[in-house]
Amino acid sequence: MVEDEIIANQLEALLTSAITNQENYYRQLGLRDRILNLPLMVAAVLTLLWRDVPGVTELTRILARAGFLWCNPTQISQQAISNRFLTFPAELFERKLKDLLPNFKSSWSKRKRRPLPESVQYTLSKKKFLM
């Protein structure tokens, strides 16, 4: 779907620099750059949440068939992904979120400053009469 591609491109643009910045820390933790590396694990978690994937088995199928976000199709066993989720440090995701919060705040402030569409303004003006 076109909307999925647009969202995927926005996520990739937003996260590429954050992932690159965090790769040194990833190595400091003693994590090797293997197939289930930091970029793929971030894409996997986002795919689980965004597409509402019911579990690791379905996630494995999606990765094998089409890949997700910026990751190409890759054959990985369900057991490998399950084990990686169990051993992958949660602090990497926490640090990534904290790195992105300033971007989210600036986007939110820009969004609040833009004018509301006429249809929304009209609805808000009629809302007073409905209450």
Side-chain angles (χ1 to χ4, degrees):
M1 296 178 65
V2 175
E3 287 180 11
D4 287 347
E5 288 179 30
I6 292 170
I7 293 170
N9 290 337
Q10 289 176 340
L11 285 172
E12 184 176 359
L14 180 68
L15 292 169
T16 300
S17 64
I19 290 170
T20 304
N21 293 340
Q22 201 164 357
E23 284 183 335
N24 287 334
Y25 182 67
Y26 179 79
R27 286 187 210 97
Q28 286 175 357
L29 292 175
L31 300 169
R32 298 185 318 255
D33 196 22
R34 47 181 138 179
I35 293 173
L36 294 172
N37 58 14
L38 180 62
L40 191 137
M41 292 304 293
V42 170
V45 169
L46 287 173
T47 301
L48 281 168
L49 298 172
W50 175 34
R51 292 188 178 174
D52 200 23
V53 177
V56 176
T57 303
E58 183 60 25
L59 185 70
T60 306
R61 286 187 199 129
I62 293 171
L63 179 59
R65 264 186 278 136
F68 33 73
L69 296 173
W70 51 83
C71 299
N72 294 325
T74 307
Q75 289 288 335
I76 301 289
S77 71
Q78 181 268 330
Q79 183 180 7
I81 292 180
S82 293
N83 288 339
R84 190 68 170 146
F85 273 123
L86 292 173
T87 60
F88 203 79
E91 69 182 274
L92 289 170
F93 293 106
E94 180 184 0
R95 288 173 61 113
K96 186 158 310 314
L97 177 64
K98 287 180 179 176
D99 289 345
L100 294 172
L101 284 177
N103 293 346
F104 295 152
K105 282 184 178 180
S106 69
S107 295
W108 178 252
S109 65
K110 289 177 189 173
R111 185 179 204 171
K112 289 182 82 169
R113 283 185 277 162
R114 71 179 182 205
L116 292 173
E118 287 181 30
S119 59
V120 174
Q121 290 175 8
Y122 176 78
T123 304
L124 288 174
S125 70
K126 298 302 178 188
K127 180 180 170 184
K128 295 174 188 172
F129 297 111
L130 297 174
M131 294 183 157

